[in-house]
Amino acid sequence: MSDASPVRVLLAVTFYNGRSFARRTMESIARLQKERFALDVLVLDDASPEPGFSEHLEALAAEFGAVYYRSPRNMGIPRNVNLGLATAQRLGYDYVVISNSDVIYAQNALQVLVDDAVSSAAGVASITAWSTNVDPYSLPNGADLYVETQDVADLIGVALAAEFADRTLDIPAGISFAMIVPVAVLDEVGLMDPVFGRGYGEESDWSARASSAGYKHLLAQGSYVYHAGRGSTLAAGIVSKDATADWGNQRIVNHRSPMFRWDVDGFLRSGTLEPAQIDAVRALVLAAASKYGYALIDASKDWVDPAETVVTVAIRSQAYEICTAHWCGFTTDIDTDGSDVVGAIVEFFGGVAPLYTNVRAATWQGASQFGYPVRL
């Protein structure tokens, strides 16, 4: 790759309303690392009906140096995504990233996706980032506890890149909340199918078509993009508050590609994903503890609530149990199978003592035998 001809990437962000998160999303994109590629940003407004929002979004796009386009009428998510794909084709980009609007990019997320795409074999159709609220490629998380900030997303991105580098997993389908596609693939696979109307199922159909053409899909284990979930589909009425899918569109996918759901089910049953999720969550919890510290708490006693960024360790109450460490809705296990529970926890965190604890040193004779912590 020469400086004279860098890889060209188009990031197409699809909007349908979303005033509450539009600025956050654009600020996140503006902060992206882009050391080894040239990036252009295209904001695609699918005729958002909220009064004044389109003008607000156009002004945001101008503020952050993005190109803004508003469809003259509402076309639905598949057609709006196709505007991004077709623009990348027509203007000769090397890669196109299709992005939802209710996202926060880890600062290094796109750099990892592009590096993975460039280093991958020619037979790759898409690469998707880790996230939250993107089943099945979500890091297990209590969504209500997640701190939706750029700092949290950045820490997760750094932790995952350090843990996994450029490692990827073969997956059955890409998900276009943050999915990079080599533009050359579109010449053979085509665009999203407008038959899916307002949206849902179009990316599964596209992924199945790409697989049938001999391409594969990857999960970038070192890349992270927070996804709030259903930011546009809920506003557009595609799904309700109690529903996560449009099953009519899913039936189209099942009819066209009857093996697709079996491929997905086989992947989920293969045991490939869960170990990667466990390793990922453990890495980000350790990274958070390294930056913010951790608190060791015995819930049977009064304690002082630590800051929300501090990792919290809930100490076990019986011998031979497993403690859990919690951070921003993410939970990882700590093996404390032994009499020195506190020692095992401190060892897990690299020998660093807790920032705060309400656990007192045991003074009774049987402490070492029955597993209650004996030192801090």
Side-chain angles (χ1 to χ4, degrees):
M1 185 190 312
S2 68
D3 293 337
S5 56
V7 168
R8 297 181 64 223
V9 179
L10 179 67
L11 174 56
V13 192
T14 57
F15 275 89
Y16 182 82
N17 290 345
R19 185 182 293 270
S20 64
F21 49 74
R23 171 168 288 278
R24 184 185 70 184
T25 298
M26 296 305 297
E27 288 177 345
S28 177
I29 290 172
R31 296 177 70 258
L32 285 168
Q33 294 175 358
K34 39 186 182 291
E35 300 171 359
R36 293 180 287 278
F37 62 95
L39 178 67
D40 292 319
V41 180
L42 175 61
V43 174
L44 296 169
D45 180 359
D46 194 13
S48 297
E50 179 190 330
F53 175 72
S54 291
E55 292 78 7
H56 172 68
L57 185 58
E58 183 176 16
L60 277 179
E63 178 182 345
F64 290 102
V67 174
Y68 172 82
Y69 176 76
R70 184 183 192 275
S71 299
R73 63 181 178 85
N74 178 253
M75 302 187 301
I77 293 173
R79 291 180 177 88
N80 206 26
V81 167
N82 282 345
L83 287 176
L85 298 176
T87 299
Q89 274 188 304
R90 179 167 295 188
L91 299 183
Y93 284 87
D94 298 297
Y95 299 95
V96 56
V97 178
I98 299 301
S99 175
N100 280 15
S101 55
D102 53 341
V103 295
I104 303 175
Y105 280 81
Q107 191 173 22
N108 63 350
L110 192 53
Q111 186 71 67
V112 174
L113 283 174
V114 173
D115 287 347
D116 285 351
V118 170
S119 63
S120 297
V124 173
S126 73
I127 305 178
T128 301
W130 280 119
S131 190
T132 49
N133 293 317
V134 181
D135 288 335
Y137 315 131
S138 296
L139 299 178
N141 174 266
D144 292 341
L145 301 175
Y146 187 93
V147 180
E148 298 181 32
T149 68
Q150 186 69 56
D151 287 345
V152 169
D154 286 347
L155 186 147
I156 294 173
V158 170
L160 294 182
E163 176 74 13
F164 297 109
D166 59 355
R167 286 159 56 189
T168 59
L169 287 177
D170 285 4
I171 56 177
I175 298 183
S176 56
F177 83 99
M179 177 179 80
I180 190 168
V181 175
V183 173
V185 170
L186 300 174
D187 295 335
E188 184 173 357
V189 178
L191 307 181
M192 303 289 175
D193 195 330
V195 74
F196 291 94
R198 290 179 299 170
Y200 188 82
E202 69 279 358
E203 60 205 349
S204 297
D205 175 73
W206 184 87
S207 295
R209 284 157 41 204
S211 297
S212 295
Y215 291 97
K216 64 180 180 178
H217 308 279
L218 301 176
L219 175 70
Q221 293 180 264
S223 179
Y224 178 79
V225 181
Y226 168 78
H227 180 227
R230 303 193 296 171
S232 296
T233 54
L234 191 60
I238 296 170
V239 296
S240 69
K241 291 182 179 179
D242 299 322
T244 58
D246 181 333
W247 297 112
N249 281 0
Q250 188 61 52
R251 283 192 287 271
I252 297 174
V253 177
N254 294 342
H255 175 74
R256 287 181 166 182
S257 305
M259 291 303 297
F260 176 75
R261 62 176 178 174
W262 300 113
D263 290 341
V264 173
D265 186 62
F267 170 73
L268 295 177
R269 291 173 179 270
S270 70
T272 301
L273 189 60
E274 186 176 3
Q277 290 173 319
I278 291 172
D279 289 345
V281 171
R282 176 168 296 212
L284 66 90
V285 168
L286 285 171
S290 177
K291 182 173 183 178
Y292 300 114
Y294 71 97
L296 177 57
I297 292 173
D298 179 353
S300 67
K301 299 179 175 63
D302 291 336
W303 71 88
V304 176
D305 288 330
E308 60 185 7
T309 53
V310 172
V311 174
T312 302
V313 179
I315 196 164
R316 63 159 171 80
S317 59
Q318 300 292 332
Y320 313 118
E321 287 185 358
I322 292 178
C323 288
T324 52
H326 308 264
W327 180 72
C328 293
F330 298 99
T331 301
T332 191
D333 294 334
I334 303 175
D335 186 359
T336 53
D337 185 0
S339 60
D340 186 4
V341 177
V342 171
I345 293 169
V346 171
E347 182 181 358
F348 177 83
F349 289 106
V352 177
L355 192 68
Y356 164 82
T357 184
N358 66 343
V359 178
R360 297 180 180 178
T363 58
W364 64 294
Q365 188 174 3
S368 59
Q369 178 181 355
F370 294 103
Y372 197 81
V374 294
R375 68 172 182 268
L376 294 177

